[in-house]
Amino acid sequence: MVRVRIEVLNGAARGRVVEADGDTTLLGRSPSAGLMLPEVFVSGEHARILAAGEEAVLEDLSSTNGSSIVRGEARLRLGSAAPRAFLESGDIVELGGDGDEGARLAITIDDQPPAERVVALRPVAELTGHATAVEQHTDTLKLLYQLEKRIGAATELDAVLGAIADAALALLPRATHVTLVLGDEREAAEPAFAPVVTRVRGPDGSARAPDGPIPFARSVFRTVIHERAAVLAADAPSEAFSSESLLGASIRSTVGVPLLKGDQILGVIQVDNRDAPRMFDTGDVDRLGVLAANASLAVDKARLIRRLFAAEEQLSQENRYLKGRERARAGGVEIIGRSRVMRELLEQLEKVADARITVFIEGETGTGKELVASAVHFRSHRRDQLFVAQNCAALPENLLESELFGHVRGAFTGATEQRKGLFELADRGTLFLDEVTEMPLALQAKLLRALQEGEIRPVGAAHEKRVDVRIVAASNRNLEAEVKAGRFREDLYYRLKVFPLRVPPLRERRDDVALLAEHFLARYAKEFGKPVAGFTQAATEALATYDWPGNVRELENEVQRAVIGVEPGGFIEAETLSPRLRTTEGLVGRAGVVRGTLKEMVEQVERHLLIEALREHGNNKTLTAKTLGITREGLHKKLRQLKLG
């Protein structure tokens, strides 16, 4: 990093020289300015000089009278349109006016610190070689051992830094002040460094925190970082090494040693004596270098622990969020149904919820199999763990294997890092495998092993991992037929179909259509911010008499579309519904339905449909049942319920 030397050429501060030893040097009348200029034509915070990398920049801070750079015969004025300009060695900076009307500053830029600025400059590579000088002193070794034990006992970064500062004062008894400078943890070519901890020696000789702000010389730690060396200035005010900040801080003798992690400089330990000159020697550099070697490990460890705790807390928060979201979803979307078949399903669900067996859910597409699976999970003792769902038909075989079991780095092209699979994520929770019959046979064998042994092997891994996962599977296909066709393993069939739950299609639970429609109406009216009065009688009849081949999902989509189309505050009428539903409008009239409750009207329509279907097929119950999409036994049951036979 460049060093900028500023010399005042006129005015009350004429002859004053400041070496800008920080990234920013403020110029102005303000007492906080790095270079204070008392002239009235200079603003309080007039301008600043920024030193970054190998360049220096002058920036006008919207001053009243402006700033200029004079370079030879040329003059560059800075203003609101162009407030910044690069500086070169030999430039003259004018603040508040041209020539003698303003403050004139001579700029010298030096990007190589002269060797005579320090008494000793010991490169990092030589620090460890001089440790033998310390090892010859038994008392020093004992003290170092005790100090490093205290540093090693600390785990939090603040405690580690405090222990290092205390140890530096104990190790160098002639020191009066110690400051720790740390770089930030960003992966940058030039990380930003800043003082983080200061200790002073109290009247009783012990280390303590200062009572107030302590002036600090940045030129020392900048030299350590720039030269990658330990620095010793035995009599700072008399050395060319001196800078405005050294003099302002009354530093008479100082040592700076880097904290290293490999080739990376983590920070600097800077120890000062502010009472007397020539208080430190090269032996102090060696002792502080040995302390810094172990302190560096402690700082790196504390940072790592802090990152691990932060990562763990983040994962914990994400886990709590995911569990809370799933719990809210399960609690907010209840299983709606009062029909007999749904009551039977819920009774079966309660029986199996806390059992350790595998549950297989059968049902057509759109009947709500995943909702039933989540109900199994959230009514079990696993409710506090994750419920994870995967549609086996959504991914090709190689990706599905990785998704379920995870993979190690380098297992295949694109596997740039290790990744946990859904089995590991669902450990102690529930994994729902939808459309499990779509899983390839080779992958079915690995799923079978996971069910039998409770072990999985990530793609590319050499060893298995144990998991405790409850499997809930589902399919809209007939599992027995898939086994007979050779598309599904028979042994896996027996593992999965331990306790089957059948979710009935919506046409078998017509009593629930109105309940579901009202539920979806309330949800989407709230979601869209549109009040809806409800369904008309004709719309309700159309919904109740339609067969719903897409089941609950189709009904939900229909209600959502109707809410979008209806006027705010209006009723959803039969004309608002899709044309395929309106084909049943004349059915009520043809059936001679007498107005009454929905159940009574539905029974009248069903009686009409059954009579018509039997008449069409010459009272052949087998053909009638096939046409109506029910079994012969189901037809006989329905006829008995409607008192038709």
Side-chain angles (χ1 to χ4, degrees):
M1 182 179 291
V2 297
R3 287 178 173 79
V4 182
R5 184 178 183 272
I6 309 168
E7 181 181 357
V8 184
L9 299 179
N10 65 345
R14 180 178 180 179
R16 187 175 182 190
V17 177
V18 171
E19 183 175 310
D21 57 1
D23 296 335
T24 303
T25 302
L26 182 64
L27 311 175
R29 284 190 293 112
S30 170
S32 62
L35 175 55
M36 190 174 69
L37 302 167
E39 280 73 21
V40 293
F41 44 76
V42 176
S43 300
E45 293 184 355
H46 194 106
R48 62 183 176 181
I49 293 176
L50 309 171
E54 303 301 320
E55 296 175 322
V57 175
L58 175 68
E59 180 182 14
D60 184 86
L61 301 176
S62 302
S63 63
T64 302
N65 298 311
S67 307
S68 301
I69 298 174
V70 179
R71 186 172 300 153
E73 299 297 325
R75 181 186 302 276
L76 175 63
R77 297 184 185 278
L78 305 183
S80 57
R84 294 185 179 187
F86 288 105
L87 288 170
E88 295 180 3
S89 189
D91 285 347
I92 302 298
V93 171
E94 295 180 343
L95 306 179
D98 297 342
D100 290 335
E101 296 179 1
R104 304 184 77 238
L105 312 174
I107 304 298
T108 304
I109 298 177
D110 181 12
D111 58 359
Q112 293 294 332
E116 67 269 14
R117 292 190 175 194
V118 294
V119 172
L121 191 69
R122 180 163 293 164
V124 167
E126 297 180 10
L127 282 177
T128 54
H130 288 265
T132 54
V134 177
E135 295 171 359
Q136 295 172 1
H137 297 81
T138 305
D139 293 341
T140 302
L141 284 176
K142 289 181 179 178
L143 179 59
L144 273 169
Y145 174 71
Q146 294 171 355
L147 296 174
E148 287 168 2
K149 278 183 64 178
R150 295 174 193 170
I151 295 171
T155 55
E156 295 186 0
L157 184 60
D158 290 343
V160 169
L161 297 175
I164 294 171
D166 294 345
L169 282 180
L171 193 60
L172 275 63
R174 291 174 290 187
T176 60
H177 296 69
V178 61
T179 300
L180 262 66
V181 178
L182 273 191
D184 58 29
E185 297 185 67
R186 296 176 301 171
E187 294 183 2
E190 292 188 7
F193 288 86
V196 291
V197 173
T198 298
R199 291 284 191 271
V200 299
R201 193 180 299 279
D204 60 352
S206 61
R208 62 177 179 82
D211 296 329
I214 299 293
F216 177 66
R218 285 180 168 81
S219 57
V220 176
F221 84 77
R222 286 176 57 190
T223 303
V224 173
I225 294 167
H226 186 273
E227 295 297 325
R228 300 184 61 80
V231 169
L232 167 63
D235 191 358
S238 66
E239 298 292 334
F241 177 70
S242 64
S243 68
E244 186 74 16
S245 60
L246 278 170
L247 297 173
S250 301
I251 296 174
R252 307 298 303 276
S253 185
T254 185
V255 177
V257 174
L259 296 168
L260 293 166
K261 176 189 175 184
D263 293 333
Q264 178 189 1
I265 294 181
L266 302 177
V268 176
I269 305 176
Q270 183 172 324
V271 178
D272 307 326
N273 186 295
R274 305 195 181 192
D275 295 333
R278 303 187 183 280
M279 296 304 294
F280 298 129
D281 54 29
T282 55
D284 293 314
V285 178
D286 295 334
R287 282 187 286 275
L288 201 60
V290 175
L291 176 68
N294 291 279
S296 302
L297 297 175
V299 170
D300 188 48
K301 180 188 73 173
R303 280 181 161 178
L304 176 60
I305 291 173
R306 186 173 64 178
R307 289 196 298 270
L308 289 173
F309 275 125
E312 184 179 26
E313 178 61 24
Q314 182 180 358
L315 288 173
S316 178
Q317 290 176 356
E318 291 175 355
N319 201 11
R320 287 196 296 271
Y321 166 75
L322 289 172
K323 290 177 184 175
R325 186 181 68 176
E326 291 300 320
R327 194 174 294 114
R329 285 176 58 191
V333 186
E334 59 180 322
I335 298 178
I336 297 172
R338 298 175 185 170
S339 61
R340 179 185 54 78
V341 288
M342 288 304 295
R343 291 199 304 271
E344 292 176 356
L345 173 63
L346 291 174
E347 289 174 4
Q348 293 293 96
L349 193 152
E350 290 293 343
K351 292 177 182 178
V352 77
D354 249 336
R356 294 180 57 87
I357 59 176
T358 302
V359 176
F360 186 81
I361 302 174
E362 300 172 305
E364 297 178 5
T365 299
T367 52
K369 296 187 290 296
E370 184 171 348
L371 183 64
V372 174
S374 66
V376 171
H377 172 76
F378 287 106
R379 299 185 189 197
S380 73
H381 67 278
R382 296 174 180 258
R383 66 180 65 90
D384 292 329
Q385 305 303 321
L386 283 179
F387 171 78
V388 182
Q390 175 61 47
N391 188 324
C392 297
L395 295 174
E397 179 178 356
N398 56 336
L399 292 182
L400 181 59
E401 181 179 1
S402 174
E403 189 73 13
L404 292 177
F405 304 115
H407 63 255
V408 299
R409 183 177 180 181
F412 49 83
T413 303
T416 56
E417 59 184 14
Q418 182 172 325
R419 181 182 177 185
K420 288 184 177 181
L422 298 183
F423 268 90
E424 284 189 80
L425 291 177
D427 192 21
R428 294 184 299 163
T430 302
L431 175 59
F432 173 55
L433 299 176
D434 197 7
E435 305 303 342
V436 70
T437 52
E438 303 297 326
M439 184 179 291
L441 286 169
L443 200 52
Q444 291 178 26
K446 296 183 179 182
L447 175 60
L448 178 63
R449 176 175 175 78
L451 289 170
Q452 288 177 331
E453 308 296 336
E455 294 180 342
I456 61 168
R457 178 180 291 186
V459 179
H463 303 287
E464 287 79 11
K465 293 183 178 181
R466 291 203 63 82
V467 290
D468 175 17
V469 178
R470 184 183 192 179
I471 297 294
V472 178
S475 177
N476 62 359
R477 295 190 181 188
N478 185 294
L479 202 55
E480 290 82 356
E482 293 298 301
V483 172
K484 290 179 181 178
R487 292 188 293 266
F488 201 81
R489 294 177 62 102
E490 187 175 6
D491 46 5
L492 181 58
Y493 163 81
Y494 290 116
R495 280 285 177 180
L496 288 179
K497 203 167 182 180
V498 177
F499 194 98
L501 290 176
R502 180 179 177 272
V503 184
L506 196 52
R507 62 181 175 275
E508 294 183 13
R509 42 182 298 215
R510 294 183 185 275
D511 293 353
D512 297 331
V513 171
L515 288 174
L516 289 165
E518 292 291 344
H519 169 76
F520 293 133
L521 176 64
R523 178 200 292 183
Y524 289 112
K526 180 179 179 182
E527 182 177 322
F528 299 150
K530 178 188 287 188
V532 180
F535 296 96
T536 64
Q537 182 72 22
T540 302
E541 291 172 355
L543 293 173
T545 54
Y546 182 61
D547 273 347
W548 301 108
N551 294 297
V552 179
R553 185 180 298 135
E554 184 184 5
L555 174 60
E556 180 180 1
N557 293 339
E558 180 66 29
V559 174
Q560 184 180 22
R561 193 196 62 78
V563 171
I564 294 173
V566 74
E567 293 296 325
F571 280 91
I572 295 178
E573 300 180 359
E575 292 76 10
T576 312
L577 302 176
S578 300
R580 65 181 183 279
L581 274 75
R582 296 203 299 270
T583 57
T584 62
E585 288 180 34
L587 180 62
V588 174
R590 293 196 306 272
V593 174
V594 179
R595 299 294 181 183
T597 65
L598 177 63
K599 183 178 180 181
E600 291 170 346
M601 290 189 294
V602 168
E603 286 180 351
Q604 293 177 60
V605 171
E606 285 186 331
R607 182 179 288 104
H608 173 75
L609 289 172
L610 288 173
I611 292 172
E612 288 295 318
L614 286 168
R615 183 182 295 113
E616 288 177 8
H617 295 288
N619 212 34
N620 187 319
K621 293 186 174 61
T622 302
L623 291 176
T624 300
K626 185 176 181 181
T627 301
L628 295 174
I630 58 178
T631 64
R632 182 182 173 86
E633 291 76 12
L635 176 61
H636 280 289
K637 188 174 183 180
K638 181 63 68 176
L639 291 173
R640 287 194 298 274
Q641 288 176 351
L642 298 174
K643 300 178 181 179
L644 292 175

